[in-house]
Amino acid sequence: MQPTFVLVHGAFANSFSFAPLQAELGLLGHRSVAVDLPGHGFAATYPGAYQAPQDLAGLACAPGAIKGVTLADNAAHLIGILERAKRNGPVILVSHSRGGVTATVAANRRPDLIDRIVYVSSWCPVDLDVSAYYAEPEMAAVDARGLASAMVGNPAELGLLRCNFRTADPGVLASFKAAFLADGTDEEFMVFLNTFQPDENLDAGTPDDRAQADSWGRIPRTYVRLSEDTSVPPAMQDRMIREGDALTPQNPYDVRTLTSSHLKWLVDPAPAARVLAEVAALLPSGS
């Protein structure tokens, strides 16, 4: 039976960013579903203070719908979609960036719903929590100043992370481009930046949410490395792979590499669609 690709976005993103990839997958004859995690997509909050002219003081205290959303909520939502997709045949779960944390929790809880799990430069914590990885040597070259300088409000008071992606500060915009889409044009970067939503949930998981050998570890898996990524550098991607392989050496990652920054594979998705089609061909006959 034809598999369904279930696509899970990263932080501050939504299902909209997968539209070009879904078009390429469809033209290759593959079915896909792009997920909006709780508080994302049309459930996101865009305060009036976020519009032009911006009111940064108002933006710093405006409530957001994603407040209180937990990683458990994300995983439960994703599992509901996986259950529906599984009725139609095999399921290939694909995650990007922070979406890997949600995908990993869902795989821990319901490995029976996933025929293969694919991480595209995404987080699959094994030895540490995601926040702890940021203090590791593999992340030393990551320049987080742009994102930090665009953060608005007090996360503890807002109950969420809020970033002003509509800033006109040229230094911050240059930092964003270097971090996310250095290999894209300025026009591509601005288009993608305007698909981001300002709010993200705070909960990035606990030790209980790391990959578990007896559930997650049973699922065949692929890691698609992005060789030009400066947000999740190749050294950290390779560490994710090593840790997963050490956890379940009998079920190692199938590793692929795309020449891409953190976002270029979504802007120019044909190579990624071909890789995913190759991954679909790995499913056992009759699965």
Side-chain angles (χ1 to χ4, degrees), residues 171-190 193 230 261:
V172 174
L173 290 174
S175 179
F176 281 161
K177 187 173 188 297
F180 300 137
L181 193 57
D183 49 355
T185 66
D186 289 346
E187 290 75 16
E188 290 170 339
F189 164 68
M190 290 305 296
L193 192 68
T230 58
S261 64

Side-chain angles (χ1 to χ4, degrees), residues 37-54:
L37 296 175
H40 292 261
F42 285 108
T45 298
Y46 286 79
Y50 191 54
Q51 304 300 115
Q54 288 192 311

